[in-house]
Each structure stands twice: as C-alpha cells, then as structure tokens.
Amino acid sequence: MSANTTGDEYSRGRTEEKRQQRQPRVNPRYRPVIVVVWGVGLAILFVLSLFSQAGATIPWVLLVSHLALAWLVRLDIKSIRRQGVDWGFSRHLWFAATVVFPLVAPAYYLYSGRIVGRENERRKRAQGLDDANETSESRTDDGDDQRDVGVS
C-alpha cells in the first residue's frame, strides 16, 4: 500500500457505483402550477361574471387560460420525459385535449400524478431489489470464502 491510501478505496468505489446506478425520483416541475393557474382562471371568471361587461371579457379569459394551461401541460410532459418516463402517444392527446377543453387540466393533473407515482414506486422497488440482491450476494460470498478456506 502506498503512503497516501487508507485501504478503503474499494468500498468507496462500490459506494460510488451504487450512487451512480440509482435512479432519482421523478419530479414533475410544472404539475403543481397547473392547478394554481386553473384555479386563478376560475376565480377571474367568477369575478368577471359579476360585472356587466362580462360578455366581452370572459372569452378572452378562457382563451388565455387555455393557452397557458396547454403550455404548462406541454412543459410538464417534456420535463417528465426528460426524467426517463415515456407515455407513448397519449402525451399528444393530453396536450391537444388541454387546448380544446377547459376541464382537462385537472384531469391531466390527476392522471400525471398516477403516472409519476407509479414510476417512482417502480424505481423504488428496483432500487430496493438491487440493494437486497447485493447484500444477499455479499453474505453468500463471505460464506463461500470461509468454506473454501476451510476445505483447502
């Protein structure tokens, strides 16, 4: 051993390998903002309906809120996909439906919550299985080494 080593390089390397192989939790960045924007738009519509000029301004509020929600849904889908979750073709349907229908944003919020939760649970189980397999392998390796030494 050289003078600058402490003898635990192997264990530090194994710990680093585990850390690099671990998949972080999926964190949808824009998902909470979708509900806030939808709620603010609903509140603005309610307040505008109390005034006499509501007929001229309500369509503009609906248009702006639809575009903002569609943009947020698109950004959220892109951020989730960057984290390794692929939905397939349904991501296009969710974006298109958000542009067209006003009540799709809360439905998307619930659906994406299910998708993210399922993916996080899968990653947690996969990480747990890897840790369990590694600890059981190290236990059997230690036992095998002792038996081999005793037999020789």
Side-chain angles (χ1 to χ4, degrees), residues 44-115:
I44 290 172
L45 283 177
F46 177 72
V47 169
L48 286 178
S49 67
L50 300 175
F51 297 106
S52 62
Q53 297 294 329
T57 56
I58 287 177
W60 288 106
V61 171
L62 284 174
L63 177 69
V64 169
S65 66
H66 273 344
L67 293 176
L69 288 170
W71 177 65
L72 285 171
V73 166
R74 185 179 186 312
L75 288 175
D76 190 54
I77 289 171
K78 284 176 68 174
S79 77
I80 291 172
R81 287 191 67 211
R82 272 190 230 114
Q83 296 176 42
V85 180
D86 191 17
W87 296 9
F89 186 72
S90 69
R91 68 181 188 273
H92 300 294
L93 296 177
W94 279 109
F95 173 68
T98 306
V99 171
V100 176
F101 300 113
L103 298 177
V104 171
Y108 169 79
Y109 178 82
L110 295 174
Y111 180 75
S112 67
R114 276 186 33 215
I115 294 290

Side-chain angles (χ1 to χ4, degrees), residues 23 84 116-128:
Q23 288 183 324
V116 167
R118 185 173 46 209
E119 180 65 20
N120 283 335
E121 185 64 31
R122 185 193 66 78
R123 289 181 180 188
K124 182 179 173 183
R125 270 187 281 128
Q127 186 66 30

